Amino acid sequence: MTGLLSPRRPIPRPFYWGSAALGFVVLLCVWEWAAGYYAAQGKQVLFPSPAAVGQVVQNMVRGATTGQEPAAREFQNFAADLRISFFRVTAAFALAALTAIPLGVMIGSYRVGEAFIQPVTEFIRYIPVPALIPLLIVIFGIEETSKIMLIYLGTFFQLMLMVSDEIRRVPYDLVQAVYTMGGTRREAVTEVLLPASWPGIVDALRLCNGWAWSWLIVAELVAANEGMGFRIVKYQRFLQTDKIFFYLVALGVIGLLLDLAFRLFSKIAFRWNVAARN
Amino acid sequence: MALELSHITKTFRSGGAEVCALQDCSFTVNDGEFVSLIGPSGCGKSTMLYIAAGLEEATSGSVMLDDCYLRGPGKDRGMVFQNYTLYPWLTVEQNIKFPFRLKANTDYARPSAAIMGEIEYAGHLLEIMGLAQFRNRYPRELSGGMKQRVAIARALTNKPRILLMDEPFGALDAQTREELQELMLLLGLYEKTTTLLVTHDIEEAIYLADRIVVLSARPGRILEEITVPFPKDRLLDIKLTPEFLALKRRLVDLLHAGGRPSSGRAEILERLGQHFHATTGTPVTTTTNQQQP
């Protein structure tokens, strides 16, 4: 079967990229229409138009290049928010990866590990992380630690289970083969299960990184005096919805770029993997 | 005597019931000998091979290699699996040299000259199997036949006492299968590899083997051991000689007599007749046209 609507069949490149562009155009149109709707009632301050957000972008660029007040201050705020938010996400994410990967490998490789860790974590996993915020603030204060802990708790359990699934997905044949070559049980993990799972683990990291950014915003909405989430709340108080939109677009772009970076890494590091190449 | 399996019995639980897969099977594989193990599907021939490899445990009975009792797998028994089992993250050459990544082969107590010699041997294998120009390819870039060549070379890298093969050519097309059969035969001629092959392909079993062990349907028992009366060096053409075909006939009869899930021609024809009669109204007779003038 060929044709544009054949399930799972490839389509010509121009159609693919054309459709992708069309998606953005539709989004812009809906946005423009909604903004027009509010503007017609004289409430454009509630829902800014794409043009208004474009104005904010221009302003930021001017602030960055000319140093003209107040544009320069806006830009400095943005840069500082970006820096601190990035730090929080990265610290929590790195911590989650460093703990979840070894534990996930243990759960996936050893049934004892699975029985010991998995039921307990399944239980903890179902406690909604936002429900822990008051407790985190009481225990860790309102400084960085509580925010990093929140992001960590939000990603750690998911990541650990995803890693263990990747290990379990490796065909058992590959393990049997290493035994017939004189490999030990430990080598079955280090020489077979782990290398076979790396592409899947990196993919799990990619997804978890996206979630980490969601938890970051939750953490910063609650208690912070800088960061992307904090600034959004602040602009809300002054009804500067155009600037909120700018921050939302910035978050989208950051997510897209990080996603792209992970995919690129996979493509280069795992040339052997068919899935990573597509 | 290289490999000796004595009184192997294997039972396993399936839905609460005890199923007997192998019952009191004993046979040996001599030094330098090529033995084929055949039997109807589901008779437990693969289980037997996995027991010999140490990947599965027999319920009772023992496995001996060079008069030593064995427990668990080891590098003295190389294995080639039906599903290639190449490591997809390694190139052809890295796959073949994979055993050198393992502690069992980088034992510092051994003289490095011995290890160097083995690495050199792995290099030879790469050439012998016709893989030299593919050395830097990844498994996903190879055809099924090429993958199985790599798997065979990798199993031989350790210079195992015996090579165990589990329907290694089962997934290949007929032409590639014959190519690899010829390669195995000639390799055995030069390397004097001791081999135990499990296959469902009777022609393959005869063409490659010095001796054939025939298993019955479940529970698997040894029906007969047949020595193949051809010289070791055989051409593929031998498959068309009357002696070969006579032996094939004998084995086919043995396998059928040993019990085959009774479906049979008459039953199929009956079902066909009923079904088509009911739906199309076209009468289908169970007799063939041959009897009519």
Side-chain angles (χ1 to χ4, degrees):
Chain A
M1 278 296 282
T2 54
L4 292 183
L5 294 179
S6 306
R8 302 190 51 178
R9 298 311 300 158
I11 57 170
R13 263 170 176 273
F15 278 103
Y16 191 91
W17 292 110
S19 304
L22 193 65
F24 279 98
V25 170
V26 168
L27 179 68
L28 270 176
C29 285
V30 172
W31 182 1
E32 184 73 54
W33 172 81
Y37 178 80
Y38 277 92
Q41 299 172 330
K43 295 176 182 167
Q44 57 266 48
V45 70
L46 295 186
F47 207 103
S49 65
V53 177
Q55 203 74 71
V56 178
V57 178
Q58 248 177 24
N59 207 35
M60 285 286 178
V61 174
R62 186 143 32 87
T65 50
T66 63
Q68 224 170 38
E69 293 297 347
R73 181 191 295 280
E74 296 263 318
F75 175 74
Q76 276 161 15
N77 281 342
F78 175 61
D81 291 339
L82 203 60
R83 206 173 314 127
I84 188 73
S85 288
F86 206 86
F87 162 74
R88 286 168 184 155
V89 168
T90 310
F93 179 71
L95 204 62
L98 282 176
T99 48
I101 293 176
L103 281 171
V105 170
M106 291 223 282
I107 295 176
S109 304
Y110 305 108
R111 285 298 169 90
V112 183
E114 181 186 307
F116 182 60
I117 303 172
Q118 193 156 314
V120 176
T121 54
E122 291 282 2
F123 163 71
I124 301 174
R125 202 163 67 96
Y126 279 102
I127 300 173
V129 177
L132 297 174
I133 293 176
L135 199 60
L136 288 176
I137 291 178
V138 170
I139 299 174
F140 298 107
I142 53 166
E143 298 300 313
E144 296 309 312
T145 320
S146 61
K147 294 176 193 63
I148 291 174
M149 278 310 289
L150 180 78
I151 304 169
Y152 173 76
L153 290 174
T155 48
F156 168 77
F157 294 105
Q158 310 290 338
L159 186 60
M160 186 173 73
L161 293 177
M162 284 163 89
V163 169
S164 69
D165 270 345
E166 287 304 326
I167 296 278
R168 277 191 280 248
R169 208 169 291 152
V170 179
Y172 190 62
D173 282 10
L174 297 187
V175 174
Q176 290 185 314
V178 77
Y179 290 147
T180 63
M181 286 182 272
T184 61
R185 290 185 290 191
R186 188 199 164 92
E187 282 169 329
V189 178
T190 58
E191 296 294 329
V192 179
L193 291 176
L194 198 53
S197 308
W198 270 125
I201 292 176
V202 170
D203 213 43
L205 286 175
R206 178 175 68 84
L207 292 173
C208 275
N209 190 261
W211 299 333
W213 278 87
S214 301
W215 290 117
L216 166 86
I217 300 302
V218 173
E220 290 180 343
L221 287 179
V222 175
N225 40 30
E226 52 185 338
M228 310 275 289
F230 158 76
R231 199 69 59 187
I232 287 175
V233 179
K234 187 152 190 199
Y235 286 140
Q236 179 210 5
R237 285 194 199 126
F238 295 100
L239 264 184
Q240 291 177 318
T241 48
D242 51 346
K243 286 174 186 161
I244 293 185
F245 264 71
F246 170 76
Y247 269 71
L248 295 182
V249 172
L251 282 168
V253 171
I254 292 167
L256 210 62
L257 289 178
L258 285 171
D259 200 85
L260 219 60
F262 272 103
R263 281 176 199 273
L264 202 67
F265 173 78
S266 265
K267 206 168 172 170
I268 295 166
F270 309 124
R271 276 201 310 124
W272 56 270
N273 191 336
V274 193
R277 286 166 53 85
N278 296 330
Chain B
M1 220 176 291
L3 184 76
E4 186 174 358
L5 292 122
S6 352
H7 307 293
I8 299 288
T9 297
K10 174 78 180 175
T11 55
F12 55 87
R13 295 204 141 273
S14 169
E18 287 249 309
V19 179
C20 185
L22 292 168
Q23 201 173 51
D24 196 26
C25 296
S26 305
F27 69 94
T28 59
V29 182
N30 297 317
D31 229 348
E33 194 181 26
F34 195 118
V35 173
S36 293
L37 186 61
I38 62 171
S41 45
C43 72
K45 51 191 191 294
S46 282
T47 308
M48 182 86 89
L49 199 74
Y50 275 68
I51 288 171
L55 294 172
E56 269 187 50
E57 236 173 295
T59 310
S60 66
S62 64
V63 184
M64 284 172 94
L65 188 68
D66 296 327
D67 299 322
C68 290
Y69 283 105
L70 289 177
R71 215 184 144 80
K75 60 179 256 191
D76 45 8
R77 283 150 294 151
M79 181 132 167
V80 178
F81 298 80
Q82 186 174 6
N83 302 327
Y84 316 123
T85 66
L86 297 182
Y87 295 131
W89 60 94
L90 300 175
T91 63
V92 166
E93 184 168 10
Q94 289 168 332
N95 260 290
I96 293 177
K97 294 184 175 170
F98 179 83
F100 299 111
R101 287 170 176 258
L102 304 174
K103 265 210 302 283
N105 280 308
T106 48
D107 184 356
Y108 293 108
R110 288 197 308 151
S112 61
I115 295 175
M116 286 314 289
E118 280 170 27
I119 293 177
E120 201 178 316
Y121 176 70
H124 286 312
L125 281 172
L126 195 71
E127 307 261 341
I128 291 166
M129 301 305 279
L131 293 165
Q133 78 230 55
F134 300 102
R135 63 171 69 220
N136 294 323
R137 297 279 187 88
Y138 286 102
R140 68 173 164 81
E141 300 168 307
L142 302 179
S143 65
M146 280 297 168
K147 281 185 202 169
Q148 208 52 297
R149 283 171 198 237
V150 179
I152 294 167
R154 189 182 65 177
L156 290 173
T157 296
N158 273 333
K159 293 195 177 177
R161 280 290 288 123
I162 184 165
L163 184 65
L164 306 170
M165 305 179 94
D166 183 24
E167 304 200 8
F169 313 134
L172 305 176
D173 63 85
Q175 209 178 334
T176 314
R177 196 181 310 161
E178 292 211 322
E179 250 176 68
L180 279 180
Q181 286 168 2
E182 192 151 38
L183 180 66
M184 277 318 292
L185 188 96
L186 296 174
L187 194 68
L189 226 54
Y190 272 77
E191 289 284 316
K192 313 258 184 296
T193 338
T194 310
T195 311
L196 176 59
L197 167 81
V198 162
T199 179
H200 58 254
D201 180 343
I202 297 176
E203 278 190 18
E204 177 174 292
I206 306 172
Y207 174 68
L208 287 171
D210 300 313
R211 196 151 49 87
I212 299 174
V213 175
V214 187
L215 281 185
S216 69
R218 181 175 290 174
R221 277 164 290 111
I222 291 180
L223 278 183
E224 203 159 337
E225 286 189 30
I226 296 169
T227 305
V228 179
F230 305 124
K232 265 216 174 237
D233 189 3
R234 303 163 194 175
L235 299 176
L236 275 170
D237 272 354
I238 204 173
K239 291 185 181 179
L240 301 172
T241 60
E243 294 86 352
F244 191 97
L245 292 172
L247 186 51
K248 183 178 173 186
R249 171 93 251 174
R250 194 176 149 205
L251 285 166
V252 169
D253 288 343
L254 254 176
L255 290 187
H256 285 197
R260 194 185 207 199
S262 63
S263 174
R265 180 185 165 86
E267 251 177 74
I268 296 170
L269 281 173
E270 195 189 319
R271 285 204 299 273
L272 274 170
Q274 279 173 358
H275 188 71
F276 283 119
H277 194 72
T279 54
T280 63
T282 321
V284 178
T285 50
T286 49
T287 51
T288 52
N289 288 335
Q290 285 166 349
Q291 282 124 345
Q292 283 158 12

